[in-house]
Amino acid sequence: MVLRRLSGLALALIAAWLLWGGIHTVNVIVSRGSPLSDALLSPPTSLLRIVGTAIALLGGLLAMAAKPLGALFSLIGVAIFALLAATMVLSGADPVLWTDEVVFSSVLVVLTGLLFVLPRD
């Protein structure tokens, strides 16, 4: 179905953009003299963002190509990204830091839900 492929495409595009943002942030931190381990793990938000969006990107591309496991990979990646948002909210971080993650998580959850509901070609 075309709508399922479009959902996969939208999910892949959003995940790719979020992945680029996570990698760019790590590059900026490392370029300022911090070690890579600190950029990824202190706090682990960068690592969660990169891993979650990479898996969601893979799932979106698989769904767009009408291959099996696309929805499952999307679910795993989006769950990790939503965990990032929940971690930021529950840690008491300023809403300016986590509002975007919550909004993008919501959009990715809806797109992943469409992948599970709509039949594959």
Side-chain angles (χ1 to χ4, degrees):
M1 178 173 242
V2 175
L3 189 56
R4 187 175 198 279
R5 287 186 179 203
L6 288 175
S7 298
L9 175 64
L11 194 141
L13 289 174
I14 293 170
W17 184 66
L18 292 170
L19 176 62
W20 175 84
I23 292 171
H24 177 70
T25 301
V26 169
N27 282 337
V28 168
I29 293 169
V30 170
S31 70
R32 292 182 181 167
S34 294
L36 181 61
S37 61
D38 284 351
L40 290 174
L41 299 172
S42 186
T45 53
S46 294
L47 182 65
L48 287 174
R49 183 178 186 130
I50 290 170
V51 170
T53 55
I55 296 171
L57 173 62
L58 176 64
L61 291 174
L62 286 171
M64 189 179 67
K67 300 292 181 190
L69 300 178
L72 181 62
F73 275 105
S74 297
L75 177 65
I76 293 168
V78 170
I80 292 171
F81 192 77
L83 176 67
L84 162 70
T87 302
M88 293 174 78
V89 171
L90 295 175
S91 70
D94 192 270
V96 172
L97 297 174
W98 53 258
T99 304
D100 291 343
E101 275 73 12
V102 170
V103 171
F104 284 119
S105 293
S106 302
V107 171
L108 292 174
V109 165
V110 168
L111 290 171
T112 301
L114 287 174
L115 293 180
F116 277 100
V117 172
L118 298 172
R120 209 172 350 145
D121 292 340

